Amino acid sequence: MPVLRFGTADVPVIEKNPNGGSPFLLTCDHYGRLIPPQLDNLGVAASELTRHIAWDIGIAGVAERLSAALDAHLIAQRYSRLVIDCNRPPRAASSIPLVSEATFIPGNQGLTQDQAAERRQSIFDPYHQRIGEAIDARLAAGHATVLVSLHSFTPSYAGVARPWHIGTLYHRDTVLPPLLLAALREEPGLVVGDNEPYGVDDATDYTIPVHGEQRGLINSGLEIRQDLIESEQGQRQWAERLARALTEIEAALRARGLIG
């Protein structure tokens, strides 16, 4: 398999508002769906590469708008989760999927250890190193840091409908998830999932366990249903909704002395 090389226009990490003053640090593991040209679309039909198997539909537009609304630093990853999933431990079987949902991924079959390592070194490592560097710099400067990892999910999976409009994702943190649940449930008409449609687990997740829990940060993930944010209007509405909720939560955290 050819060596992966990236030009300046398609580097793995994209950042918005790096000098933002908000305590919230936003991450977006499945922001993009680029595939290095050397991989020839992994042998997958172009129509499949616009589906949720390739990226988190709609979350890029929400994340950028939320970053601007909160004055928050956003760090995102521009390559498809089919090349390497940046929210999976590299040891996990789903890190470089052989099959995604029901779609066979020819370009991921029979990879050598060196080929898998190259994907990690080219895409996964730069993304997570940048998140780590940003957290180091914030903590060294005494800036309050609350990690929020942004995702989106399919309206149905394997034929089963998912009723939630948004869900919190967490494992060990007991501070931010209850505040998010309370704030989001104040929004009219929302069905809010508590660790739905997914929870966070050390074996299958990376960003929250490594950058949130291991660093001792207040943290949570958010999953928004994709049919609600496919359009720019939906992305604006959800960014505004999340900005309201997180602004209230910031005030609550400061009042409780949990952030300075």
Side-chain angles (χ1 to χ4, degrees):
M1 185 166 291
V3 174
L4 304 186
R5 294 187 177 88
F6 303 98
T8 56
D10 53 8
V11 293
V13 183
I14 185 170
E15 297 187 61
K16 301 292 183 181
N17 208 10
N19 298 314
S22 172
F24 295 106
L25 174 62
L26 308 177
T27 61
C28 199
D29 304 328
H30 305 138
Y31 170 103
R33 59 185 182 91
L34 293 178
I35 295 177
Q38 301 95 324
L39 300 185
D40 194 25
N41 282 348
L42 298 169
V44 176
S47 59
E48 292 289 282
L49 299 176
T50 62
R51 297 180 58 235
H52 72 93
I53 65 170
W55 63 331
D56 277 2
I57 294 168
I59 202 61
V62 175
E64 291 189 5
R65 289 171 172 84
L66 184 59
S67 170
L70 293 176
D71 189 29
H73 187 185
L74 166 66
I75 303 176
Q77 199 287 116
R78 303 174 73 229
Y79 279 81
S80 174
R81 67 202 307 169
L82 296 178
V83 179
I84 186 167
D85 193 322
C86 284
N87 192 36
R88 297 288 181 270
R91 66 182 179 278
S94 55
S95 168
I96 299 176
L98 303 180
V99 178
S100 184
E101 198 170 10
T103 300
F104 184 75
I105 315 298
N108 289 348
Q109 311 299 317
L111 294 186
T112 66
Q113 289 186 346
D114 286 346
Q115 289 167 337
E118 183 180 27
R119 295 194 192 183
R120 175 177 181 171
Q121 292 161 8
S122 299
I123 296 172
F124 183 98
D125 287 348
Y127 174 60
H128 286 292
Q129 285 169 4
R130 183 65 196 112
I131 296 172
E133 291 166 357
I135 293 171
D136 287 344
R138 292 174 69 99
L139 296 180
H143 294 160
T145 302
V146 178
L147 180 67
V148 177
S149 184
L150 299 169
H151 294 266
S152 69
F153 67 95
T154 56
S156 65
Y157 187 82
V160 178
R162 291 162 155 175
W164 311 282
H165 299 112
I166 188 169
T168 59
L169 286 69
Y170 59 94
H171 189 194
R172 297 177 180 88
D173 188 82
T174 59
V175 176
L176 184 56
L179 292 173
L180 280 168
L181 288 167
L184 291 168
R185 286 171 176 165
E186 290 178 358
E187 293 279 330
L190 287 192
V191 179
V192 182
D194 183 353
N195 253 352
E196 297 286 0
Y198 313 104
V200 173
D201 185 273
D202 292 341
T204 57
D205 293 271
Y206 194 89
T207 299
I208 287 176
V210 171
H211 299 295
E213 294 177 342
Q214 290 182 20
R215 302 295 295 266
L217 301 181
I218 297 170
N219 68 84
S220 185
L222 284 171
E223 287 265 3
I224 306 171
R225 206 173 70 201
Q226 289 171 357
D227 58 320
L228 305 175
I229 56 173
E230 287 178 315
S231 69
E232 288 193 11
Q233 179 181 3
Q235 293 162 18
R236 284 194 298 271
Q237 289 173 343
W238 276 91
E240 290 168 1
R241 180 176 282 127
L242 292 180
R244 286 195 298 271
L246 290 171
T247 298
E248 293 175 4
I249 288 169
E250 178 183 350
L253 293 174
R254 293 190 188 281
R256 290 164 60 177
L258 295 174
I259 60 174

